[in-house]
PDB file of all heavy atoms in Angstrom:
ATOM      1  N   GLU Z 157       9.967 -13.392 -10.919  1.00  0.00           N
ATOM      2  CA  GLU Z 157      11.048 -12.652 -10.281  1.00  0.00           C
ATOM      3  C   GLU Z 157      11.828 -11.774 -11.270  1.00  0.00           C
ATOM      4  O   GLU Z 157      12.383 -12.260 -12.247  1.00  0.00           O
ATOM      5  CB  GLU Z 157      11.996 -13.648  -9.621  1.00  0.00           C
ATOM      6  CG  GLU Z 157      13.157 -13.015  -8.917  1.00  0.00           C
ATOM      7  CD  GLU Z 157      14.088 -14.044  -8.319  1.00  0.00           C
ATOM      8  OE1 GLU Z 157      14.078 -15.203  -8.747  1.00  0.00           O
ATOM      9  OE2 GLU Z 157      14.833 -13.662  -7.429  1.00  0.00           O
ATOM     10  N   ARG Z 158      11.804 -10.486 -11.035  1.00  0.00           N
ATOM     11  CA  ARG Z 158      12.567  -9.482 -11.794  1.00  0.00           C
ATOM     12  C   ARG Z 158      12.263  -9.455 -13.288  1.00  0.00           C
ATOM     13  O   ARG Z 158      13.076  -9.002 -14.091  1.00  0.00           O
ATOM     14  CB  ARG Z 158      14.059  -9.669 -11.560  1.00  0.00           C
ATOM     15  CG  ARG Z 158      14.463  -9.441 -10.128  1.00  0.00           C
ATOM     16  CD  ARG Z 158      15.967  -9.537  -9.978  1.00  0.00           C
ATOM     17  NE  ARG Z 158      16.340  -9.305  -8.606  1.00  0.00           N
ATOM     18  CZ  ARG Z 158      16.698 -10.254  -7.762  1.00  0.00           C
ATOM     19  NH1 ARG Z 158      16.747 -11.509  -8.144  1.00  0.00           N
ATOM     20  NH2 ARG Z 158      17.024  -9.957  -6.516  1.00  0.00           N
ATOM     21  N   GLU Z 159      11.131  -9.952 -13.692  1.00  0.00           N
ATOM     22  CA  GLU Z 159      10.747  -9.927 -15.106  1.00  0.00           C
ATOM     23  C   GLU Z 159       9.531  -9.020 -15.268  1.00  0.00           C
ATOM     24  O   GLU Z 159       8.817  -8.734 -14.324  1.00  0.00           O
ATOM     25  CB  GLU Z 159      10.405 -11.341 -15.601  1.00  0.00           C
ATOM     26  CG  GLU Z 159      11.559 -12.313 -15.548  1.00  0.00           C
ATOM     27  CD  GLU Z 159      12.684 -11.971 -16.516  1.00  0.00           C
ATOM     28  OE1 GLU Z 159      12.415 -11.323 -17.548  1.00  0.00           O
ATOM     29  OE2 GLU Z 159      13.828 -12.348 -16.228  1.00  0.00           O
ATOM     30  N   ARG Z 160       9.272  -8.623 -16.493  1.00  0.00           N
ATOM     31  CA  ARG Z 160       8.075  -7.823 -16.770  1.00  0.00           C
ATOM     32  C   ARG Z 160       6.833  -8.706 -16.669  1.00  0.00           C
ATOM     33  O   ARG Z 160       6.917  -9.908 -16.882  1.00  0.00           O
ATOM     34  CB  ARG Z 160       8.177  -7.208 -18.162  1.00  0.00           C
ATOM     35  CG  ARG Z 160       9.337  -6.239 -18.283  1.00  0.00           C
ATOM     36  CD  ARG Z 160       9.272  -5.499 -19.600  1.00  0.00           C
ATOM     37  NE  ARG Z 160      10.406  -4.630 -19.779  1.00  0.00           N
ATOM     38  CZ  ARG Z 160      10.521  -3.421 -19.252  1.00  0.00           C
ATOM     39  NH1 ARG Z 160       9.570  -2.956 -18.495  1.00  0.00           N
ATOM     40  NH2 ARG Z 160      11.587  -2.689 -19.482  1.00  0.00           N
ATOM     41  N   PRO Z 161       5.679  -8.113 -16.359  1.00  0.00           N
ATOM     42  CA  PRO Z 161       4.444  -8.909 -16.290  1.00  0.00           C
ATOM     43  C   PRO Z 161       4.169  -9.589 -17.627  1.00  0.00           C
ATOM     44  O   PRO Z 161       4.497  -9.059 -18.689  1.00  0.00           O
ATOM     45  CB  PRO Z 161       3.353  -7.892 -15.963  1.00  0.00           C
ATOM     46  CG  PRO Z 161       3.991  -6.564 -15.964  1.00  0.00           C
ATOM     47  CD  PRO Z 161       5.450  -6.707 -16.129  1.00  0.00           C
ATOM     48  N   PHE Z 162       3.587 -10.758 -17.541  1.00  0.00           N
ATOM     49  CA  PHE Z 162       3.370 -11.564 -18.742  1.00  0.00           C
ATOM     50  C   PHE Z 162       1.999 -12.212 -18.655  1.00  0.00           C
ATOM     51  O   PHE Z 162       1.685 -12.875 -17.674  1.00  0.00           O
ATOM     52  CB  PHE Z 162       4.470 -12.631 -18.814  1.00  0.00           C
ATOM     53  CG  PHE Z 162       4.394 -13.516 -20.024  1.00  0.00           C
ATOM     54  CD1 PHE Z 162       4.639 -13.024 -21.286  1.00  0.00           C
ATOM     55  CD2 PHE Z 162       4.066 -14.859 -19.893  1.00  0.00           C
ATOM     56  CE1 PHE Z 162       4.582 -13.845 -22.405  1.00  0.00           C
ATOM     57  CE2 PHE Z 162       4.002 -15.682 -20.985  1.00  0.00           C
ATOM     58  CZ  PHE Z 162       4.264 -15.169 -22.246  1.00  0.00           C
ATOM     59  N   ILE Z 163       1.172 -11.998 -19.663  1.00  0.00           N
ATOM     60  CA  ILE Z 163      -0.136 -12.654 -19.734  1.00  0.00           C
ATOM     61  C   ILE Z 163      -0.025 -13.762 -20.771  1.00  0.00           C
ATOM     62  O   ILE Z 163       0.399 -13.527 -21.899  1.00  0.00           O
ATOM     63  CB  ILE Z 163      -1.255 -11.666 -20.105  1.00  0.00           C
ATOM     64  CG1 ILE Z 163      -1.395 -10.616 -19.002  1.00  0.00           C
ATOM     65  CG2 ILE Z 163      -2.579 -12.404 -20.309  1.00  0.00           C
ATOM     66  CD1 ILE Z 163      -2.376  -9.509 -19.304  1.00  0.00           C
ATOM     67  N   THR Z 164      -0.382 -14.956 -20.364  1.00  0.00           N
ATOM     68  CA  THR Z 164      -0.269 -16.117 -21.247  1.00  0.00           C
ATOM     69  C   THR Z 164      -1.529 -16.960 -21.143  1.00  0.00           C
ATOM     70  O   THR Z 164      -2.445 -16.643 -20.393  1.00  0.00           O
ATOM     71  CB  THR Z 164       0.989 -16.943 -20.881  1.00  0.00           C
ATOM     72  OG1 THR Z 164       1.176 -17.956 -21.860  1.00  0.00           O
ATOM     73  CG2 THR Z 164       0.858 -17.581 -19.510  1.00  0.00           C
ATOM     74  N   HIS Z 165      -1.554 -18.031 -21.891  1.00  0.00           N
ATOM     75  CA  HIS Z 165      -2.671 -18.972 -21.870  1.00  0.00           C
ATOM     76  C   HIS Z 165      -2.141 -20.321 -21.403  1.00  0.00           C
ATOM     77  O   HIS Z 165      -1.262 -20.901 -22.045  1.00  0.00           O
ATOM     78  CB  HIS Z 165      -3.293 -19.110 -23.264  1.00  0.00           C
ATOM     79  CG  HIS Z 165      -3.837 -17.812 -23.777  1.00  0.00           C
ATOM     80  ND1 HIS Z 165      -5.097 -17.368 -23.472  1.00  0.00           N
ATOM     81  CD2 HIS Z 165      -3.275 -16.844 -24.533  1.00  0.00           C
ATOM     82  CE1 HIS Z 165      -5.289 -16.189 -24.032  1.00  0.00           C
ATOM     83  NE2 HIS Z 165      -4.199 -15.856 -24.686  1.00  0.00           N
ATOM     84  N   LEU Z 166      -2.640 -20.790 -20.276  1.00  0.00           N
ATOM     85  CA  LEU Z 166      -2.257 -22.099 -19.754  1.00  0.00           C
ATOM     86  C   LEU Z 166      -3.427 -23.052 -19.946  1.00  0.00           C
ATOM     87  O   LEU Z 166      -4.529 -22.793 -19.457  1.00  0.00           O
ATOM     88  CB  LEU Z 166      -1.890 -22.011 -18.269  1.00  0.00           C
ATOM     89  CG  LEU Z 166      -0.692 -21.133 -17.929  1.00  0.00           C
ATOM     90  CD1 LEU Z 166      -0.471 -21.104 -16.428  1.00  0.00           C
ATOM     91  CD2 LEU Z 166       0.553 -21.621 -18.637  1.00  0.00           C
ATOM     92  N   PRO Z 167      -3.214 -24.153 -20.648  1.00  0.00           N
ATOM     93  CA  PRO Z 167      -4.321 -25.083 -20.861  1.00  0.00           C
ATOM     94  C   PRO Z 167      -4.753 -25.750 -19.563  1.00  0.00           C
ATOM     95  O   PRO Z 167      -3.978 -25.853 -18.612  1.00  0.00           O
ATOM     96  CB  PRO Z 167      -3.749 -26.110 -21.844  1.00  0.00           C
ATOM     97  CG  PRO Z 167      -2.290 -25.919 -21.844  1.00  0.00           C
ATOM     98  CD  PRO Z 167      -1.987 -24.586 -21.287  1.00  0.00           C
ATOM     99  N   ASP Z 168      -5.983 -26.193 -19.543  1.00  0.00           N
ATOM    100  CA  ASP Z 168      -6.504 -26.959 -18.418  1.00  0.00           C
ATOM    101  C   ASP Z 168      -5.691 -28.243 -18.280  1.00  0.00           C
ATOM    102  O   ASP Z 168      -5.168 -28.769 -19.267  1.00  0.00           O
ATOM    103  CB  ASP Z 168      -7.984 -27.279 -18.662  1.00  0.00           C
ATOM    104  CG  ASP Z 168      -8.614 -27.969 -17.478  1.00  0.00           C
ATOM    105  OD1 ASP Z 168      -8.962 -27.280 -16.508  1.00  0.00           O
ATOM    106  OD2 ASP Z 168      -8.737 -29.204 -17.516  1.00  0.00           O
ATOM    107  N   ILE Z 169      -5.613 -28.770 -17.082  1.00  0.00           N
ATOM    108  CA  ILE Z 169      -4.813 -29.974 -16.838  1.00  0.00           C
ATOM    109  C   ILE Z 169      -5.283 -31.149 -17.697  1.00  0.00           C
ATOM    110  O   ILE Z 169      -4.494 -32.008 -18.073  1.00  0.00           O
ATOM    111  CB  ILE Z 169      -4.808 -30.334 -15.336  1.00  0.00           C
ATOM    112  CG1 ILE Z 169      -3.732 -31.372 -15.052  1.00  0.00           C
ATOM    113  CG2 ILE Z 169      -6.177 -30.815 -14.882  1.00  0.00           C
ATOM    114  CD1 ILE Z 169      -3.444 -31.578 -13.592  1.00  0.00           C
TER     115      ILE Z 169
END
Side-chain angles (χ1 to χ4, degrees):
E157 180 182 21
R158 296 184 179 104
E159 297 293 334
R160 297 189 183 279
F162 181 68
I163 296 175
T164 188
H165 299 275
L166 297 178
D168 185 79
I169 193 168

